Amino acid sequence: MATDLRSARRAQNWGRLFIYGSLAAMAAFYLMPLWVMIVTSLKSLDEIYSGSFIGLPKAVTFDAWAKAWGTACIGTKCEGLKPYFVNSLVMVIPAVILSSGIGAINGYVLTKWRFKGSNIVFGMLLFGCFLPFQAVILPMAQVLGRLGLSGTIPGLVLVHTVYGIAFTTLFFRNYFITIPDELTKAAQIDGAGFFRIFFSIMLPAALPIIVVSCIWQFTQIWNDFLFGVSFTAGDSTPVTVALNNIVNVTMGRKQYNVDMASAMIAAIPTLVVYVVAGRYFVRGLTAGAVKG
Amino acid sequence: MATLEIDRVKKSYGQMDVLKEVSISVGDGDFLVLLGPSGCGKSTLLNMIAGLEDITSGQIRISGDVVNDLSPKDRDIAMVFQSYALYPTMTVRQNIEFGMKIRGVPPEARAKATKAAADMLQMGHLLDRKPSQLSGGQRQRVAMGRAIVREPKLFLFDEPLSNLDAKLRVDMRTEIKRLHQRLGTTIVYVTHDQIEAMTLATRIAVMKDGVVQHFGPPQEVYDRPANTYVARFVGSPAMNIIPASLQVGADGLAEAVVSLPSGEARIAGIPLSAAALKSHAGQKVLLGIRPEHFSLTSGPGLSVHIDVVEPTGPDTLAVFAMGGTEVIARLEPFAAAAGDRLTLAVKQEKVVVFDASSETRLD
């Protein structure tokens, strides 16, 4: 009896070891590129060309980071990623706020103030989620041209807002549908109007899905390359396009350390957003399933 | 403090009539219960009184004023919902004060009203909690508190006890009755539970398929239901509906002949107007007899063969065949056992007669 138990426990331990071992191996494999990026960005160019990619730097130097941020040349200008990073911020903040805000109101109307044909409207909005980027580029360019927003950051904000509404509406609609309609009725009897109900009752209750919508939109818009490269040029390009220009357009030796540092700089905001709010993201995505 | 008149109110969704010309009117301080199965239109009617749904035609008047086109907040009403409908992100205090805040009641007055309501409902200790931290009964108390501070002309309750467990339901029922006695405000209350209707109401409107079947005081609805539908819906166990034929008895009063397995039997002295008796004599009718109006007798009566007995504690329900249907009598405990042959008397003055084809009551 006792030996049975012991051997069972030993088998279990081996099983555990196998599971954790393979998980660790896969994690390491997955993290390898990040590792290479970090160590490469901390090496001098000479060291990179003389040694291996994977090893630790002999002398840690932040020169590449400084150069990527402030002095790397993009086209004829040598100001680093900084102005383009600012461009991306100026683009992403209003676009996230606008698309999430409009999505929230859409979701609220589609669930609590249903009208004839509201389901059809919702269905058509959903279509936007499945529309490939390439399909909208040409018509979008024409619209931006007519509006006089071609090649500008406000134009890009408009594009991302419009494109994001399909997703944010879906998020908020599916969240608000779990909130009982009686809540709206009670508020109406209390004397609250359309916007009062929205701001005082629905939005505070929707915090998890607001976080989801903002994270989703932030990463989508920040990481977008296609719209950025299609609708902006020169000084108004977002950081993703600038990164491409740094990496792909070099004179002389390829500056791997600067490339890596630039890529990391461009990726930092989305990483920060996930680390800070990732918990809420998962909670928000599953919020509909566990109703209090 | 208000009267409520529902005057030929109709509600249609496209071709479908959900309510067909409903007319109900109650006086100041009445407790009106709209009773019926799901889908009978009772909740729709309540929502129309509240202003949450449009009225297709007809009028609703509160204290004589037509409210058809007033928005819910201008009707001076308060409503309690089945799902409580508490604002989830607000504390109990904020929930109660929300309406007052919108109406611009100053903070001191708000606090005073909230305290008074909390005292009345014994929930002062709950004021700073969130709804998610409350039990079902406490949530319903808060919902009632939110309604009370409004000091409305009319309270509307939409199946407020349906989400509670059996024990709590009885407690809260008493609480609502006490509230009505204390405040004296006119109440409209929707339920599908006939016990709730009987215990709470001063007026019951039994509804089916968008039509009011019977509108009257509870005892009248119970004793003299307008038709067999009402007779079967109110009371547990329901009123027995027994096919019989009507005759003029030796004393000139109505007399019913029912078939029993042992032969025919007569129930004499049934209260019925001369006109109804004249027009229906010799015809088939339906008798409505409540289970408690049967009793054991040693004298002459109905000789029945007991099929099943169901002891409930205070009574024994005895099931037997009469007039070709199953009939239930409410007898004393141990008064009957399965297989017994018993003689039962009927309180003939309580017997109700229905027309056999229209199934409406004959007077």
Side-chain angles (χ1 to χ4, degrees):
Chain A
M1 197 66 188
T3 47
D4 275 5
L5 210 67
R6 210 172 298 150
S7 67
R9 196 165 295 159
R10 201 174 302 148
Q12 206 181 5
N13 284 344
W14 280 111
R16 277 288 141 105
L17 200 67
F18 175 75
I19 291 171
Y20 286 121
S22 45
L23 281 176
M26 280 186 255
F29 183 71
Y30 203 78
L31 286 171
M32 188 62 89
L34 182 66
W35 170 256
V36 171
M37 283 177 79
I38 294 174
V39 293
T40 308
S41 72
L42 297 176
K43 288 172 187 171
S44 68
L45 206 55
D46 290 336
E47 191 188 337
I48 294 168
Y49 276 95
S50 62
S52 81
F53 255 43
I54 296 175
L56 279 167
K58 281 189 207 104
V60 173
T61 163
F62 289 93
D63 289 353
W65 285 76
K67 192 171 179 198
W69 180 249
T71 61
C73 294
I74 296 164
T76 53
K77 278 204 194 104
C78 292
E79 295 171 337
L81 278 179
K82 195 172 142 196
Y84 306 97
F85 193 92
V86 173
N87 280 353
S88 271
L89 279 180
V90 170
M91 166 190 75
V92 79
I93 291 168
V96 166
I97 293 171
L98 282 174
S99 59
S100 295
I102 296 172
I105 291 189
N106 280 350
Y108 169 56
V109 171
L110 287 171
T111 52
K112 302 297 168 225
W113 300 88
R114 275 187 221 176
F115 48 92
K116 243 193 178 130
S118 57
N119 275 336
I120 296 172
V121 170
F122 178 58
M124 278 160 46
L125 265 171
L126 273 191
F127 229 67
C129 297
F130 305 113
L131 219 55
F133 276 30
Q134 308 83 288
V136 299
I137 285 182
L138 273 180
M140 193 64 93
Q142 282 187 321
V143 171
L144 289 178
R146 298 240 172 102
L147 293 175
L149 292 174
S150 299
T152 65
I153 291 173
L156 215 49
V157 170
L158 177 71
V159 172
H160 283 300
T161 302
V162 170
Y163 205 85
I165 284 173
F167 293 92
T168 55
T169 302
L170 176 68
F171 291 147
F172 280 99
R173 186 258 181 201
N174 286 353
Y175 190 82
F176 285 145
I177 207 151
T178 65
I179 294 180
D181 291 347
E182 289 187 344
L183 222 54
T184 334
K185 292 185 182 174
Q188 269 178 282
I189 289 173
D190 268 341
F194 181 88
F195 284 107
R196 184 77 183 232
I197 296 174
F198 180 66
F199 286 112
S200 296
I201 293 161
M202 303 307 272
L203 269 195
L207 193 64
I209 207 71
I210 293 174
V211 173
V212 167
S213 176
C214 286
I215 292 182
W216 175 269
Q217 282 301 96
F218 187 92
T219 46
Q220 290 294 309
I221 297 171
W222 185 274
N223 289 335
D224 165 71
F225 179 74
L226 188 62
F227 285 153
V229 81
S230 306
F231 301 132
T232 56
D235 289 345
S236 56
T237 58
V239 73
T240 45
V241 177
L243 171 66
N244 174 66
N245 294 346
I246 284 190
V247 174
N248 283 345
V249 187
T250 25
M251 312 282 177
R253 279 207 297 187
K254 202 152 181 52
Q255 308 198 1
Y256 287 113
N257 52 356
V258 178
D259 293 353
M260 296 302 179
S262 305
M264 304 262 300
I265 289 171
I268 279 172
T270 42
L271 277 175
V272 168
V273 165
Y274 267 107
V275 170
V276 170
R279 266 181 319 140
Y280 298 98
F281 188 69
V282 175
R283 210 181 290 166
L285 282 183
T286 55
V290 275
K291 227 171 74 182
Chain B
M1 299 292 124
T3 59
L4 170 70
E5 290 155 278
I6 299 164
D7 188 3
R8 284 166 293 150
V9 163
K10 255 182 85 171
K11 175 76 185 176
S12 318
Y13 293 111
Q15 292 295 307
M16 213 181 57
D17 289 343
V18 185
L19 287 177
K20 298 162 190 153
E21 304 241 322
V22 169
S23 293
I24 295 170
S25 96
V26 292
D28 190 12
D30 259 332
F31 195 128
L32 167 67
V33 172
L34 303 174
L35 175 66
S38 31
C40 72
K42 58 191 191 301
S43 287
T44 309
L45 183 57
L46 193 75
N47 281 336
M48 285 159 84
I49 298 170
L52 297 168
E53 289 202 44
D54 293 332
I55 300 163
T56 308
S57 71
Q59 272 190 350
I60 292 179
R61 294 186 289 271
I62 298 175
S63 292
D65 302 323
V66 178
V67 296
N68 282 33
D69 298 320
L70 290 184
S71 67
K73 67 177 161 62
D74 299 323
R75 294 191 182 197
D76 207 354
I77 50 158
M79 191 157 169
V80 175
F81 295 89
Q82 180 177 351
S83 68
Y84 324 122
L86 300 177
Y87 311 128
T89 55
M90 301 185 196
T91 62
V92 167
R93 188 190 307 278
Q94 289 167 328
N95 260 283
I96 292 174
E97 293 192 356
F98 184 66
M100 291 190 281
K101 222 171 181 173
I102 290 176
R103 288 194 302 280
V105 177
E108 314 83 66
R110 291 206 300 256
K112 210 174 140 204
T114 304
K115 187 173 183 313
D119 287 347
M120 187 184 291
L121 295 167
Q122 292 146 26
M123 55 174 196
H125 58 295
L126 302 176
L127 284 177
D128 293 313
R129 294 201 199 163
K130 289 274 179 72
S132 57
Q133 296 164 306
L134 304 178
S135 70
Q138 290 171 330
R139 286 180 204 186
Q140 198 52 283
R141 238 172 249 269
V142 175
M144 277 160 53
R146 190 169 65 177
I148 290 170
V149 294
R150 170 103 210 224
E151 295 182 0
K153 282 188 194 160
L154 209 58
F155 278 119
L156 307 177
F157 287 87
D158 191 3
E159 308 222 14
L161 307 182
S162 299
N163 280 4
L164 304 178
D165 62 53
K167 166 88 174 70
L168 206 52
R169 198 176 302 168
V170 175
D171 294 348
M172 287 304 282
R173 200 171 73 196
T174 315
E175 192 99 6
I176 291 174
K177 183 123 193 177
R178 190 174 292 135
L179 193 72
H180 180 240
Q181 282 169 0
R182 182 138 19 140
L183 299 173
T185 313
T186 313
I187 293 180
V188 184
Y189 185 107
V190 162
T191 182
H192 59 262
D193 181 348
Q194 52 96 19
I195 302 266
E196 270 173 39
M198 288 298 296
T199 48
L200 291 171
T202 60
R203 288 278 183 287
I204 295 181
V206 184
M207 296 180 64
K208 180 197 167 199
D209 298 337
V211 177
V212 174
Q213 305 288 321
H214 192 155
F215 173 55
Q219 202 61 46
E220 178 196 298
V221 172
Y222 187 80
D223 285 340
R224 300 198 53 78
N227 55 39
T228 57
Y229 178 80
V230 177
R232 288 194 175 103
F233 199 83
V234 178
S236 175
M239 187 179 244
N240 297 297
I241 307 292
I242 307 158
S245 60
L246 198 66
Q247 292 184 349
V248 183
D251 51 0
L253 291 175
E255 189 178 89
V257 180
V258 291
S259 70
L260 287 169
S262 55
E264 284 193 339
R266 285 162 189 278
I267 301 170
I270 296 169
L272 200 64
S273 70
L277 179 55
K278 200 176 161 205
S279 62
H280 283 78
Q283 292 181 22
K284 295 269 175 227
V285 291
L286 296 170
L287 297 184
I289 306 175
R290 291 275 173 205
E292 62 270 28
H293 295 145
F294 288 102
S295 56
L296 279 181
T297 178
S298 50
L302 310 164
S303 168
V304 300
H305 179 236
I306 304 298
D307 189 20
V308 178
V309 291
E310 296 171 340
T312 63
D315 322 287
T316 291
L317 302 177
V319 183
F320 55 91
M322 183 172 165
T325 64
E326 215 167 63
V327 173
I328 297 177
R330 189 192 293 272
L331 304 173
E332 304 259 296
F334 303 114
D340 280 0
R341 288 189 179 282
L342 299 175
T343 308
L344 298 179
V346 175
K347 261 192 196 163
Q348 63 271 66
E349 73 273 16
K350 292 287 194 182
V351 174
V352 185
V353 184
F354 301 100
D355 184 276
S357 56
S358 70
E359 307 212 346
T360 53
R361 190 188 69 229
L362 300 171
D363 287 306

